[in-house]
Amino acid sequence: MGTKPSGASNEARMSVKGPLIFSAVLAVIAGFFTMIFSTGGAGHELRWDLGITAAGIAFIASLLLVAVLTMASKENPDHLSEGSGIHRVSSKIPGGAGSVGHPRSKPEGHRSGTPAAKEPDPDNNDDGGTPRSA
């Protein structure tokens, strides 16, 4: 069997005997019940064709399901969490998340120390001073 980079045995994960036996048992059960229930009564012959078809479908589907579940439980190697320098903090990237909400330059006509003059809004509706039509 294979070994992990640490030298430990990887026998439990590499074994395909368990999933194959599980899929074969499900295939036999599905094929048997399909063959029996598809006859239509005691006076008819067994439907071997439907039983074999159902067994094949059950075998492939269960083997695929076991394979996907096995891949989903795979753990990441330890060296991925050490940080190799490729992961940058977005707040330090120019134009990244750290620059959101921080203006790069001050607006024109604004001098430091004196507040900008604000024009009064004649109808007090916070639309910039444009009167609304009635």
Side-chain angles (χ1 to χ4, degrees):
M1 292 286 142
T3 57
K4 295 180 182 177
S6 63
S9 176
N10 202 11
E11 187 173 334
R13 285 193 55 100
M14 296 294 289
S15 177
V16 295
K17 192 183 302 183
L20 281 176
I21 291 173
F22 175 74
S23 296
V25 168
L26 282 180
V28 168
I29 292 171
F32 176 74
F33 282 112
T34 302
M35 183 175 59
I36 296 296
F37 292 129
S38 66
T39 58
H44 301 289
E45 290 186 28
L46 291 175
R47 295 292 308 261
W48 290 94
D49 56 339
L50 291 178
I52 291 172
T53 303
I57 291 171
F59 180 76
I60 292 171
S62 62
L63 195 60
L64 180 67
L65 182 67
V66 169
V68 168
L69 290 176
T70 302
M71 286 190 306
S73 69
K74 180 180 178 184
E75 296 181 20
N76 288 334
D78 291 334
H79 72 276
L80 291 178
S81 63
E82 292 175 2
S84 59
I86 60 169
H87 305 291
R88 295 171 48 179
V89 179
S90 62
S91 62
K92 295 181 181 178
I93 300 173
S99 63
V100 174
H102 300 289
R104 292 181 184 230
S105 63
K106 295 183 179 181
E108 291 182 25
H110 184 277
R111 288 180 266 156
S112 61
T114 58
K118 186 175 180 184
E119 295 182 19
D121 189 9
D123 54 356
N124 294 324
N125 61 4
D126 294 331
D127 64 353
T130 10
R132 293 187 184 167
S133 58

